[in-house]
Amino acid sequence: MDTVIITGANGNLGMAVTQLFLDKGYRVLAVVAKNAKENFLKHDHLDVFVVDLADETAAAGFVRSVIDKYQSIHAALLLVGGFIGGNIASTSGEDISNQISLNFNTAYFVARPLLQQMKAQGAGRIVFIGSRPGLVASYGKDLVAYSLSKSLLFRLAEFINADARGRNVTATVIVPSTIDTPVNRKSMPDADPLNWVKPEDLAEIMEFVVSAKGAPLRETVLKVYNNS
Ligand SMILES: NC(=O)c1ccc[n+]([C@@H]2O[C@H](COP(=O)([O-])OP(=O)(O)OC[C@H]3O[C@@H](n4cnc5c(N)ncnc54)[C@H](OP(=O)(O)O)[C@@H]3O)[C@@H](O)[C@H]2O)c1
């Protein structure tokens, strides 16, 4: 049974991803937000952790503890992230630091110790969630802090892929457009959610990436835009 870390597991995307990986027979190590543990999914193959992943020491301690317990970690799906709007005029340095902490540090602090472990194992898959404004600057002019912070994940994936080349350890970036979540439906009542991306479809794509079928993929950036 392959062991997979999923961060942001109680988020809108994370719930669908966690459910699908459990359904497909993985052992899931889910990192959830404070207060979410009690009401989270229950499953024989699910372990739930509350960790502030913006805290490097806490994140490293979490990774160390699951390596000690499970020996081998097949994949990590690093889903924690969040969004603020703002163009250059309205975006402060503090806004940028906060978004980097949320969108980049929470992934880096898990990926950093895991990369060493995966190289030692001789296998591993790390999946980041980018965003279209983080990839295409013209989409990001009114989302400056968010776009800058997400753009770092694309560079990080390239560094990991260069560092681990030839070692069967890969980093992949999944790039959703708008995800069909209750939050987005509420904030964009005039938009057609059928054009957005379903969390369940993103979950299937992530499972393909980390499965045996996805094993030959390298340096992968997957744009999952549907019709938006
Ligand atoms: N929604 C979209 O349309 C969209 C589009 C493109 C990309 N994305 C990306 O897709 C990912 C998932 O999005 P989503 O809509 O599912 O987000 P979400 O519902 O807000 O889920 C994010 C989860 O991360 C948790 N989290 C935040 N800070 C944390 C920390 N320091 N340590 C541990 N956990 C923390 C949150 O907990 P709390 O609830 O306690 O904060 C929440 O459970 C994000 O990376 C997002 O940027 C989303």
Side-chain angles (χ1 to χ4, degrees), residues 10-13 33 51-53 79-81 102 129 150 177 179 184:
N10 69 302
N12 288 296
L13 176 59
V51 188
D52 177 3
L53 297 174
L79 311 185
V80 170
L102 178 59
I129 305 295
K150 284 291 190 187
S177 55
I179 303 175
N184 283 335

Side-chain angles (χ1 to χ4, degrees), residues 3-221:
T3 299
V4 177
I5 292 172
I6 302 178
T7 74
N10 69 302
N12 288 296
L13 176 59
M15 289 288 287
V17 174
T18 302
Q19 188 64 63
L20 182 114
F21 273 75
L22 289 170
D23 291 348
K24 295 244 179 184
Y26 292 81
R27 173 171 296 286
V28 174
L29 313 181
V31 180
V32 302
K34 297 185 288 294
N35 308 324
K37 190 168 178 175
E38 265 179 36
N39 299 321
F40 197 62
L41 301 168
K42 311 281 182 236
H43 193 285
D44 286 349
H45 300 147
L46 174 69
D47 273 2
V48 183
F49 303 82
V50 177
V51 188
D52 177 3
L53 297 174
D55 176 336
E56 186 162 20
T57 306
F62 159 70
V63 173
R64 205 168 34 248
S65 72
V66 295
I67 290 170
D68 285 349
K69 183 165 180 190
Y70 295 101
Q71 311 295 317
S72 176
I73 306 295
H74 173 67
L77 313 176
L78 304 178
L79 311 185
V80 170
F83 168 92
I84 60 165
N87 61 13
I88 290 176
S90 63
T91 297
S92 67
E94 191 181 358
D95 292 334
I96 293 172
S97 299
N98 289 340
Q99 282 282 283
I100 288 177
S101 173
L102 178 59
N103 286 308
F104 177 77
N105 290 356
T106 56
Y108 185 69
F109 293 162
V110 176
R112 182 180 173 218
L114 261 187
L115 175 60
Q116 307 316 316
Q117 168 66 18
M118 288 175 169
K119 283 163 69 180
Q121 292 169 189
R125 304 283 176 260
I126 299 175
V127 176
F128 300 114
I129 305 295
S131 71
R132 185 155 50 178
L135 183 63
V136 184
S138 57
Y139 281 87
K141 72 179 179 51
D142 296 319
L143 305 164
V144 167
Y146 174 68
S147 306
L148 283 172
S149 64
K150 284 291 190 187
S151 73
L152 297 176
L153 293 172
F154 294 90
R155 294 293 85 74
L156 176 59
E158 289 170 10
F159 295 150
I160 291 172
N161 286 323
D163 187 296
R165 185 162 295 132
R167 308 283 291 271
N168 191 26
V169 175
T170 69
T172 296
V173 190
I174 308 281
V175 193
S177 55
T178 306
I179 303 175
D180 185 1
T181 66
V183 177
N184 283 335
R185 283 184 182 232
K186 194 167 173 206
S187 65
M188 293 178 265
D190 296 332
D192 182 356
L194 288 178
N195 291 327
W196 298 345
V197 181
K198 294 197 180 322
E200 295 75 16
D201 290 342
L202 288 164
E204 291 278 2
I205 288 164
M206 281 182 235
E207 201 278 326
F208 175 80
V209 166
V210 310
S211 72
K213 284 184 186 157
L217 291 169
R218 291 293 179 274
E219 302 175 17
T220 311
V221 175

